[in-house]
Amino acid sequence: MYDLIIIGGGPAASAAGVYAARKKIKTLLVAESFGGQSIVSQDIQNWIGTPSISGYDLAQSFETHLRAQEDIEIETGELIKTVSKEGDVFVAMTEGGKRYETKTVLITTGGRRRKLGVKGEKEFDGKGVAYCSICDAPLFGGKVVAVVGGGNAGLEAVIDLLPYATKIYLLQRSGALKGDAVTQERIMQDPKVEVIFNATTLEIIGDSFVNELVYVDTTTNGFDKLTTRETHHLDVQGVFIEIGSLPNSELVKDVAATTPYGEIEVDVYGKTSMQGIWAAGDVTNLKYKQNNIAAGDAIRAVLNIYDYLMYNK
Amino acid sequence: MYDLIIIGGGPAASAAGVYAARKKIKTLLVAESFGGQSIVSQDIQNWIGTPSISGYDLAQSFETHLRAQEDIEIETGELIKTVSKEGDVFVAMTEGGKRYETKTVLITTGGRRRKLGVKGEKEFDGKGVAYCSICDAPLFGGKVVAVVGGGNAGLEAVIDLLPYATKIYLLQRSGALKGDAVTQERIMQDPKVEVIFNATTLEIIGDSFVNELVYVDTTTNGFDKLTTRETHHLDVQGVFIEIGSLPNSELVKDVAATTPYGEIEVDVYGKTSMQGIWAAGDVTNLKYKQNNIAAGDAIRAVLNIYDYLMYNK
């Protein structure tokens, strides 16, 4: 029986693990793998105190710090499928059927970006294809970029790119944008931005780096419903794919409240609707998903868990 | 007229400054000096991703990262005395009478630990004298330590030290502890802990490192009110001074709500009771003051300010 099980392998999990070990909480950390979503970034410039580091190296530094702690058990290569409650105890079950019992749980399973699933997307991930405009917009100074997705995430990516890119194409599958009206207005007014409606991305092309995006025009003739299906090529050095993200919250869906988007609802200390379960980082319903935020919130959750355990021994 | 003024020079201020610059928010950062409270720590082991670094070097890394940003104005050596509202504009006034105008303000002025004001306290700061048990307890493995202060902070310091120190003296000025009953019970039960009531610390003594604490016994004879005033010596290698901390919130006391302890009340995004003013880090009423937490919260506040400015241009 553990006092705490931390589930996840990103910055929130490592931060939580370091603090839990230093607090001598009897802890198991279960990670499918270490790294987190930003492990693919070529150049992270916003981990505070570190002006520039690759996502891989930053992830390594988190894991190294965690593994330097004496008082923590770590299991990797295991995926926790469900967390359930049996009496006063929480049970975490792995995909392979292993069972762990614990007094408290901290969910730091993060999220995953929705992918387009088109040719070239995976090949150029981190080589012009980006999924985080807050992180990566400054890398596209003086460049022409496409943003795929006309919801709030897409509009915000355009706003993030405005100070950097020389030209921004915003591709939206349907005939209208979906984000906030104020943001739409601001984007539409800017001569740098060209919104392309009824555009379905087909392929991302490049050499060592992205240099082209191919889309098909699906504009429908309202009368006879014919679509043009014309193929177009855009010369771009960057493609921001902003079609939403999915929180990895399936494992607690039966025990903790989530939003309609599947994000785990938490208070400022990471407490979920289920007493004894906390969550931190990209899996939660708090806005603004960033490495530093995830780490800080995970630490606050662990310190709160420590206080809770003191009163629930 | 700025879009944002960040006030402070610790990790929260640097984190906020980096993000504000990357978001191209028209920002002024005003710091009396850079560093924050942990700049005096000899060995910080809990800045995530960095297993061990001096407080000075960590503070340098924050300032270097901040100063690497192109789009931010930085004023140092200036103390903002008041923030006030004039119409739709906030005015930050320095001690010297300089006046800055801005649409939004982020307060990251941190806190300061209450000092005992006894001989040796300053001399051995970071050399056995410590003010943060969460941070420094692991440095006192196998050592005998004294904790000064019998309120919640003192009790929690004892709890933090239990897994590390071999013996812990808890010195309380009055005849009773003040912290939570549950924590008191747990401490009293532990044979490692010796609570000394009516103890007023007089001096901290050492060579290169603390080795002795001197206190006076102020036990009163209830009948004729004579006190013993006997002097006692404790052989200790560490002294944790836990008599409270003071948030540096005086500058906004007339515009934003604070707790009875002077901490600025904030929501999860750092919003204060005054629209247009945010706060993050040790100056706020959120529990658990840590560098990573301060940085993460400051970043979330800046991203929230960015959204606010978009709708309040």
Side-chain angles (χ1 to χ4, degrees):
Chain A
M1 167 86 109
Y2 294 96
D3 281 341
L4 168 62
I5 292 183
I6 298 166
I7 306 172
S14 289
V18 168
Y19 267 74
R22 289 169 61 83
K23 282 289 205 177
K24 304 253 183 191
I25 301 170
K26 187 173 161 48
T27 303
L28 172 69
L29 186 149
V30 188
E32 201 185 357
S33 65
F34 279 100
Q37 290 181 80
S38 65
I39 195 169
V40 297
S41 294
Q42 280 200 308
D43 186 11
I44 293 176
Q45 301 181 344
N46 59 5
W47 176 255
I48 301 308
T50 305
S52 172
I53 188 170
S54 74
Y56 181 82
D57 288 344
L58 185 61
Q60 284 273 308
S61 78
F62 295 148
E63 187 179 348
T64 301
H65 195 176
L66 174 67
R67 290 192 183 275
Q69 310 303 311
E70 282 167 23
D71 291 292
I72 187 163
E73 283 180 54
I74 300 171
E75 292 281 353
T76 54
E78 301 224 24
L79 182 67
I80 300 287
K81 286 296 279 184
T82 59
V83 173
S84 57
K85 199 174 181 197
E86 296 184 6
D88 287 342
V89 171
F90 292 102
V91 176
M93 291 287 289
T94 70
E95 207 167 29
K98 266 201 210 169
R99 176 192 166 94
Y100 300 110
E101 296 190 352
T102 182
K103 288 180 189 162
T104 67
V105 181
L106 174 58
I107 309 291
T108 56
T109 42
R112 53 191 189 275
R113 288 302 182 117
R114 275 218 175 87
K115 302 286 166 87
L116 276 174
V118 301
K119 212 176 146 194
E121 180 180 16
K122 199 173 172 183
E123 183 184 349
F124 294 106
D125 191 347
K127 295 166 186 164
V129 171
Y131 296 87
C132 175
S133 58
I134 291 179
C135 319
D136 294 338
L139 304 175
F140 291 84
K143 294 190 173 157
V144 179
V145 299
V147 172
V148 179
N152 268 326
L155 299 187
E156 282 160 22
V158 173
I159 297 284
D160 287 338
L161 284 159
L162 278 178
Y164 298 102
T166 51
K167 167 98 190 171
I168 304 161
Y169 297 103
L170 176 60
L171 278 68
Q172 165 65 339
R173 279 180 75 121
S174 69
L177 297 178
K178 299 218 164 105
D180 297 335
V182 177
T183 321
Q184 285 191 36
E185 267 173 42
R186 175 140 175 233
I187 286 172
M188 293 301 210
Q189 283 166 12
D190 199 296
K192 271 188 189 179
V193 181
E194 184 176 336
V195 183
I196 306 176
F197 293 105
N198 304 303
T200 298
T201 304
L202 287 185
E203 187 178 354
I204 296 162
I205 297 171
D207 297 319
S208 57
F209 218 79
V210 166
N211 58 32
E212 193 178 332
L213 180 143
V214 186
Y215 72 91
V216 64
D217 179 354
T218 59
T219 303
T220 305
N221 178 321
F223 176 65
D224 56 10
K225 306 286 186 200
L226 284 179
T227 58
T228 65
R229 311 295 301 181
E230 250 179 62
T231 295
H232 298 264
H233 294 248
L234 297 174
D235 291 338
V236 294
Q237 289 95 53
V239 178
F240 281 77
I241 295 166
E242 299 285 356
I243 53 174
S245 77
L246 298 167
N248 299 320
S249 62
E250 293 80 0
L251 73 172
V252 292
K253 69 176 168 22
D254 295 332
V255 285
T258 55
T259 66
Y261 304 106
E263 296 173 326
I264 302 173
E265 291 176 9
V266 293
D267 75 358
V268 68
Y269 295 105
K271 287 203 287 281
T272 69
S273 65
M274 169 61 81
Q275 183 175 308
I277 301 183
W278 280 252
D282 291 9
V283 76
T284 74
N285 66 327
L286 299 183
K287 281 166 80 173
Y288 315 122
K289 317 298 195 199
Q290 295 290 297
N291 283 327
N292 278 105
I293 294 174
D297 283 357
I299 289 167
R300 183 153 45 207
V302 166
L303 297 175
N304 200 232
I305 288 165
Y306 181 81
D307 286 352
Y308 171 86
L309 288 168
M310 177 92 69
Y311 290 84
N312 292 274
K313 275 286 172 192
Chain B
M1 168 83 109
Y2 294 96
D3 281 340
L4 168 63
I5 292 183
I6 298 166
I7 305 172
S14 288
V18 168
Y19 266 74
R22 289 168 62 83
K23 282 291 206 176
K24 303 251 183 192
I25 300 171
K26 187 173 161 48
T27 302
L28 172 69
L29 186 149
V30 188
E32 201 186 358
S33 64
F34 278 99
Q37 291 181 81
S38 65
I39 194 169
V40 297
S41 294
Q42 280 199 309
D43 186 11
I44 294 176
Q45 300 181 346
N46 60 4
W47 176 255
I48 300 308
T50 305
S52 172
I53 189 170
S54 74
Y56 181 82
D57 287 345
L58 185 61
Q60 283 273 308
S61 78
F62 294 148
E63 187 180 347
T64 302
H65 195 175
L66 174 67
R67 290 193 184 275
Q69 308 305 310
E70 282 168 21
D71 291 292
I72 187 164
E73 283 181 54
I74 299 170
E75 292 280 354
T76 54
E78 302 225 23
L79 183 66
I80 300 288
K81 285 296 279 184
T82 59
V83 173
S84 57
K85 198 173 182 199
E86 297 184 6
D88 287 342
V89 172
F90 292 102
V91 176
M93 291 287 288
T94 70
E95 207 168 29
K98 264 200 209 170
R99 176 191 166 93
Y100 299 110
E101 296 190 352
T102 182
K103 288 179 189 164
T104 67
V105 180
L106 174 58
I107 309 291
T108 57
T109 43
R112 52 192 189 277
R113 288 301 183 116
R114 274 217 175 87
K115 303 285 166 88
L116 276 175
V118 301
K119 211 175 148 196
E121 180 180 17
K122 198 172 173 184
E123 184 184 349
F124 294 105
D125 190 348
K127 295 167 185 162
V129 171
Y131 297 87
C132 176
S133 59
I134 291 178
C135 319
D136 294 338
L139 305 175
F140 291 83
K143 294 187 172 158
V144 178
V145 299
V147 172
V148 180
N152 268 326
L155 300 187
E156 282 160 23
V158 173
I159 297 282
D160 287 339
L161 284 159
L162 278 177
Y164 297 102
T166 52
K167 167 96 189 172
I168 305 162
Y169 297 104
L170 176 60
L171 278 68
Q172 165 65 340
R173 279 179 76 121
S174 70
L177 297 178
K178 299 219 164 102
D180 298 334
V182 177
T183 321
Q184 284 190 38
E185 266 173 44
R186 175 140 176 232
I187 285 172
M188 293 302 209
Q189 282 165 12
D190 199 296
K192 271 188 189 178
V193 181
E194 184 177 336
V195 182
I196 306 176
F197 293 106
N198 303 304
T200 298
T201 304
L202 287 185
E203 188 177 352
I204 297 162
I205 297 172
D207 297 318
S208 59
F209 219 78
V210 166
N211 58 32
E212 192 178 334
L213 180 144
V214 186
Y215 71 90
V216 64
D217 179 353
T218 60
T219 303
T220 305
N221 178 321
F223 177 65
D224 56 12
K225 306 284 187 202
L226 284 178
T227 58
T228 66
R229 310 294 303 180
E230 248 177 65
T231 297
H232 297 264
H233 293 248
L234 297 173
D235 290 337
V236 295
Q237 289 94 54
V239 179
F240 281 77
I241 295 166
E242 298 286 355
I243 52 173
S245 76
L246 299 167
N248 299 321
S249 62
E250 293 80 1
L251 74 173
V252 291
K253 68 175 168 28
D254 295 332
V255 286
T258 55
T259 67
Y261 304 105
E263 296 173 327
I264 302 173
E265 291 176 10
V266 293
D267 74 359
V268 67
Y269 295 105
K271 289 202 286 280
T272 70
S273 65
M274 169 62 81
Q275 182 174 308
I277 301 183
W278 279 253
D282 291 7
V283 75
T284 74
N285 66 328
L286 298 183
K287 282 166 77 173
Y288 317 122
K289 318 297 196 198
Q290 295 290 297
N291 283 328
N292 277 103
I293 294 175
D297 283 358
I299 289 167
R300 183 154 44 207
V302 165
L303 297 176
N304 200 234
I305 288 166
Y306 182 82
D307 285 353
Y308 172 86
L309 287 168
M310 177 92 69
Y311 290 84
N312 292 275
K313 276 285 173 191

